[in-house]
Amino acid sequence: MMPAETALGLDQLRGLHLPGGAAGAVQGEILAAALLGFLAALLVGLARALRGRSRAGLRRAALAELARSRGLDPEARLVAQARLLRRLDRTLGGEAGLRTAGAEWGRRLDALFRTDFFTRGAGRVLADGLYRRQAPDLDALDAELGRLIGRVRSGARS
């Protein structure tokens, strides 16, 4: 050992070394972790974009079908709208909706669209009143259905 009084010269200092015997400034593990993180972020972004696109396509198709139902007579129009809602329920909420009817289906639609239109509003006619003699305001019903379908997005139940 050297005594504490002796000052070392620059030529006597040991050179700097990277830990673990790395040859370059970036270690392989760090590069691999960064690459895997980038790929994971890319895959998540791609999945979100595809899901959003499929929901937008579903929304467009449903709105187009709703528009086609406007030319039907009143009874057929209500049936066509109820069928559209049944298909949307199955697509967005799963197969469990196929076994529901009446007020239970109205509650399911309310949960799916985040509203009370099908249990307390004019949409009740679509959930449990298709075969009753009544004269609902079809244009108001159609406008509200268009608004609800237009709100369908990736945040709906999957």
Side-chain angles (χ1 to χ4, degrees):
M1 282 228 167
M2 295 187 179
E5 304 90 38
T6 312
L8 295 174
L10 288 179
D11 58 340
Q12 294 174 333
L13 293 178
R14 183 174 163 236
L16 295 175
H17 298 284
L18 291 174
V26 178
Q27 294 180 353
E29 295 87 12
I30 294 173
L31 184 62
L35 185 61
L36 286 174
F38 176 74
L39 287 175
L42 186 67
L43 288 174
V44 167
L46 182 62
R48 290 184 76 185
L50 289 176
R51 184 176 174 156
R53 183 176 290 174
S54 70
R55 292 291 168 114
L58 173 69
R59 183 175 41 243
R60 276 193 301 273
L63 288 172
E65 187 169 337
L66 183 64
R68 284 192 299 272
S69 74
R70 289 183 187 119
L72 301 173
D73 65 82
E75 289 179 17
R77 185 175 179 180
L78 283 174
V79 171
Q81 290 171 346
R83 285 183 181 158
L84 170 63
L85 288 171
R86 199 52 93 165
R87 282 194 304 275
L88 279 172
D89 181 26
R90 184 181 60 227
T91 301
L92 297 173
E95 297 291 323
L98 295 176
R99 294 182 296 275
T100 59
E104 183 182 350
W105 188 51
R107 286 189 296 276
R108 183 173 169 84
L109 288 173
D110 279 345
L112 183 68
F113 290 104
R114 296 182 181 108
T115 185
D116 64 352
F117 179 68
F118 299 101
T119 54
R120 294 187 183 153
R124 283 185 18 209
V125 69
L126 294 167
D128 62 4
L130 282 178
Y131 302 106
R132 295 181 189 162
R133 290 240 177 242
Q134 53 195 340
D137 183 359
L138 293 176
D139 292 330
L141 185 65
D142 201 47
E144 183 63 15
L145 284 176
R147 187 185 72 76
L148 291 173
I149 292 170
R151 288 184 357 198
V152 170
R153 62 182 205 281
S154 58
R157 257 185 342 193
S158 306

